[in-house]
């Protein structure tokens, strides 16, 4: 009886091993067929209809907003229910690379209008820094603070809701999504895109990686490299200007 059980167990193991080998063989054959089709269509001058899965990982759609996209997003707040608050929110999130939680958690003491600075408190153990405020930012801030004063909230939150509570992350998410749709942006907008847009725009302006790292409060510089690596200005001097003929 014991011998039968052992033989039966060995037979099952052999069948399982055969199934695994068969599966591996099928995968290899599928891979070979895909590569053969691609080579055939390229040689024939026809665009291949099968893309290798590794190429799919290399070709990724744009996941950040450009300066033009941000301008359109802010313009979409015009005549909205919370125009003053939301345009101030969008501009500060973009200019200072704020995460949505950092923006919603801002207090009045962080905004120093007289000194024209914003004290940025970073989350995720990031580097907290003090950023200068530009003229248009101060204008939007003052306009929002006038509206906020009329609402008479009993807290020191900089951005507040209709119920006079600190602005909720979900409310900010929904607002940015709606403004993106209203602006007909080429991609679905969400709050973190504004932080990425800040990094890419700083790189386009020629800021070096270390400076962008400090400005965005990145603890690891590897999170900053993506912005400068994608900047086309790095390659401008690789080819000399063509001689005039």
């Amino acid at each position: 009886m014991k011998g039968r059980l052992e033989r039966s167990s060995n037979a099952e193991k052999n069948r399982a091993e055969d199934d695994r080998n068969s599966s591996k063989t099928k995968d290899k054959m599928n891979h070979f067929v895909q590569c053969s089709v691609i080579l055939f269509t390229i040689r024939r001058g026809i665009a291949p209809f099968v893309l290798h899965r590794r190429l799919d990982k290399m070709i990724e759609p744009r996941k950040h907003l450009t300066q033009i996209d941000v301008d359109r997003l802010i313009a979409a707040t015009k005549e909205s229910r919370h125009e003053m608050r939301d345009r101030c929110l969008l501009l500060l999130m973009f200019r200072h690379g704020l995460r949505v939680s950092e923006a919603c958690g801002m207090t009045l003491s962080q905004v120093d209008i007289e000194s024209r600075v914003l004290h940025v408190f970073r989350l995720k153990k990031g580097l907290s820094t003090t950023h200068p405020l530009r003229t248009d930012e101060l204008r939007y801030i003052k306009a929002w603070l006038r509206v906020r004063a009329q609402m008479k909230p009993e807290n020191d939150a900089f951005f507040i809701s209709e119920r006079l509570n600190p602005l909720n992350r979900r409310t900010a998410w929904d607002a940015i999504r709606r403004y993106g749709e209203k602006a007909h942006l080429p991609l679905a907008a969400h709050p973190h895109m504004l932080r990425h847009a800040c990094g890419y725009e700083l790189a386009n302006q020629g800021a070096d990686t270390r400076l962008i790292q400090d400005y965005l409060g990145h603890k690891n510089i590897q999170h900053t490299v993506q912005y400068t690596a994608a900047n086309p200005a790095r390659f401008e001097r690789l080819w000399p200007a063509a001689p005039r003929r």
Side-chain angles (χ1 to χ4, degrees):
M1 185 68 179
K2 185 177 181 181
R4 287 183 185 176
L5 291 175
E6 289 180 353
R7 286 195 295 272
S8 176
S9 176
N10 291 333
E12 290 179 0
K13 289 181 180 179
N14 291 334
R15 282 196 298 270
E17 183 67 25
D18 291 341
D19 290 341
R20 284 195 294 269
N21 292 334
S22 176
S23 178
K24 290 180 181 179
T25 302
K26 288 180 181 179
D27 289 342
K28 290 180 180 179
M29 287 299 297
N30 290 335
H31 176 73
F32 174 77
V33 171
Q34 288 183 8
C35 292
S36 299
V37 171
I38 291 174
L39 289 174
F40 174 78
T41 53
I42 289 175
R43 288 172 180 173
R44 292 282 181 168
I46 307 171
F49 61 86
V50 179
L51 291 177
H52 195 277
R53 55 178 174 267
R54 291 182 182 176
L55 293 178
D56 291 339
K57 294 180 180 180
M58 294 172 61
I59 304 172
E60 295 184 355
R62 175 163 64 93
K63 296 181 180 180
H64 68 278
L65 302 176
T66 63
Q67 173 73 65
I68 296 175
D69 292 333
V70 175
D71 291 340
R72 290 168 57 186
L73 195 66
I74 295 175
T77 64
K78 188 175 182 180
E79 298 181 356
S80 65
R81 187 169 184 171
H82 305 288
E83 177 181 355
M84 300 301 178
R85 182 197 69 189
D86 291 349
R87 73 177 185 179
C88 182
L89 173 70
L90 294 175
L91 185 61
L92 292 184
M93 287 183 70
F94 167 60
R95 288 280 178 82
H96 303 280
L98 300 177
R99 299 180 177 90
V100 64
S101 296
E102 293 170 349
C104 292
M106 280 177 55
T107 60
L108 294 173
S109 61
Q110 290 179 242
V111 183
D112 190 339
I113 295 177
E114 293 185 1
S115 299
R116 301 169 67 94
V117 296
L118 173 66
H119 301 288
V120 181
F121 296 153
R122 295 295 185 190
L123 300 177
K124 297 186 177 181
K125 298 181 180 179
L127 176 66
S128 296
T129 51
T130 300
H131 294 180
L133 290 169
R134 279 72 180 177
T135 303
D136 56 344
E137 296 173 46
L138 289 168
R139 185 170 65 251
Y140 283 15
I141 288 172
K142 290 177 181 178
W144 159 238
L145 287 179
R146 285 194 292 268
V147 174
R148 185 187 181 283
Q150 294 174 0
M151 298 171 69
K152 299 180 180 179
E154 296 182 355
N155 56 60
D156 65 344
F158 185 79
F159 292 112
I160 59 174
S161 64
E162 285 185 340
R163 298 183 178 181
L164 309 183
N165 296 320
L167 188 64
N168 186 277
R169 294 175 69 255
R170 184 180 296 277
T171 302
W173 267 82
D174 291 341
I176 292 174
R177 177 185 54 78
R178 289 197 309 271
Y179 292 136
E181 294 173 353
K182 183 179 178 181
H184 302 291
L185 297 183
L187 63 172
H190 59 77
H192 209 68
M193 284 184 171
L194 292 168
R195 178 170 167 83
H196 286 317
C198 175
Y200 284 112
E201 183 59 27
L202 291 176
N204 291 339
Q205 293 176 13
D208 61 67
T209 307
R210 288 291 182 185
L211 182 60
I212 299 175
Q213 179 189 14
D214 292 343
Y215 192 83
L216 294 179
H218 284 156
K219 188 175 182 180
N220 190 337
I221 198 170
Q222 291 301 320
H223 298 150
T224 316
V225 171
Q226 60 177 319
Y227 304 122
T228 51
N231 180 19
R234 295 191 307 133
F235 309 117
E236 286 184 355
R237 297 182 181 180
L238 291 181
W239 291 96
R244 293 184 179 180
R245 296 181 179 177

